[in-house]
Amino acid sequence: MIRFFRMVMASVVCLAAATCPSFARAGGARIWELAGFDELDKGEARDTRISNRGEVTLGLRAAQIDMDDVGLVWTAARSSSGVVYLGTGYDGGIFRAFGKKAVRIAKTGQLIVTALAFDAKGDLFAATLPDATIWKIEKPGDIDPGSPVDAVKWATLPAEAKHVWALAFDTERRTLFAATGPNGQIYAMGKDAKPSVYLDTEEEHILSLIDAGKGRLIAGTSPGALVLEVTGPGRSSARADFDATEVRALALRGDTVIAAVNK
């Protein structure tokens, strides 16, 4: 019996040794680097994206949206239901995107729609040039694409605010904020649509503005290219000071601010 047990154990050991991968006896794992970011960046990334580590993953595909013959698309905003709206020039129009087509739903009679923002009810606000005016389009999702409506004039900013560059709506305070130039001011407007100066800076223009929650706004300026955190009326601090001339656009991911900066 003992001899039989030893024969069985010897057979098991031989079988385990035979089935062990050969690289286990070759002195450890090896890593081969086929190409890094520099090599991959020389190619054309179709529907893929390449990280600075040379990692290739699925990317985003750009698709053209058909729309009327307009001079430019200046601004865009996404509703709570995920529908994208576009502000255009040089016709001061507002379009709603349907799949691969965008249709006109509203007219302002102005030159350019410079900013769009939704309130908590889903109504759409639009800022225009050349007049520093803010327009309102109620329930834009219900408008017949074949019958664009005339936007309703909602607020006219004071004469010193000649340009409205960005809009942001604070759902908690039910307040619309407007970033303006050439005096670098942010205006606040409540339900009565009466504008009042919320922040006065030493910059010439507030070009970008987003609601950061908890009573905070994030603003991008020109020509100092500052990113300001606005915590209350007349209260702000600089989160970034770029070697540039303008912070054109802002986005928020968690507590991280992403800024598009130009010279």
Side-chain angles (χ1 to χ4, degrees):
M1 178 65 77
I2 295 176
R3 182 179 179 184
F4 176 75
F5 179 76
R6 288 177 177 173
M7 291 176 62
V8 172
M9 289 301 298
S11 298
V12 172
V13 172
C14 290
L15 180 61
T19 56
C20 286
S22 59
F23 63 78
R25 301 189 301 269
R30 298 180 184 179
I31 299 177
W32 288 269
E33 182 177 338
L34 301 180
F37 174 80
D38 293 337
E39 290 80 8
L40 292 172
D41 191 46
K42 296 175 183 177
E44 182 178 352
R46 295 182 179 178
D47 303 332
T48 58
R49 57 186 178 184
I50 304 170
S51 74
N52 59 355
R53 299 179 179 179
E55 300 165 333
V56 181
T57 56
L58 289 176
L60 302 177
R61 175 180 294 179
Q64 183 173 334
I65 295 178
D66 295 329
M67 60 189 305
D68 292 347
D69 185 18
V70 298
L72 57 85
V73 176
W74 185 285
T75 185
R78 189 187 302 272
S79 70
S80 59
S81 60
V83 179
V84 175
Y85 291 79
L86 309 171
T88 67
Y90 301 96
D91 59 345
I94 298 171
F95 287 71
R96 185 174 64 213
F98 288 89
K100 295 184 178 180
K101 184 175 179 61
V103 295
R104 188 188 306 269
I105 63 160
K107 302 172 290 182
T108 64
Q110 293 286 294
L111 184 64
I112 299 174
V113 176
T114 58
L116 296 170
F118 285 93
D119 67 7
K121 297 189 299 181
D123 294 335
L124 180 62
F125 293 93
T128 59
L129 287 175
D131 298 334
T133 305
I134 298 174
W135 308 77
K136 186 176 182 179
I137 303 95
E138 294 187 355
K139 299 181 179 180
D142 295 341
I143 298 175
D144 183 357
S147 304
V149 302
D150 291 326
V152 177
K153 185 181 291 187
W154 187 72
T156 299
L157 272 65
E160 59 265 26
K162 299 185 182 302
H163 317 295
V164 179
W165 299 121
L167 296 173
F169 189 82
D170 185 329
T171 57
E172 296 177 0
R173 291 180 284 182
R174 298 181 181 180
T175 301
L176 182 69
F177 295 92
T180 71
N183 296 310
Q185 297 171 321
I186 297 176
Y187 284 83
M189 289 154 283
K191 187 177 181 180
D192 59 4
K194 293 182 179 180
S196 61
V197 176
Y198 190 76
L199 181 70
D200 193 354
T201 73
E202 296 181 357
E203 293 287 275
E204 294 178 9
H205 299 277
I206 308 293
L207 293 179
S208 49
L209 188 67
I210 55 175
D211 174 33
K214 299 180 180 179
R216 299 175 302 149
L217 298 170
I218 305 295
T221 76
S222 176
L226 301 174
V227 174
L228 301 177
E229 181 172 357
V230 186
T231 55
R235 301 196 304 270
S236 68
S237 59
R239 289 189 60 162
D241 183 356
F242 293 99
D243 181 19
T245 55
E246 62 180 24
V247 178
R248 172 58 63 177
L250 293 165
L252 198 63
R253 185 174 184 179
D255 196 42
T256 300
V257 177
I258 302 168
V261 183
N262 296 325
K263 279 195 175 184

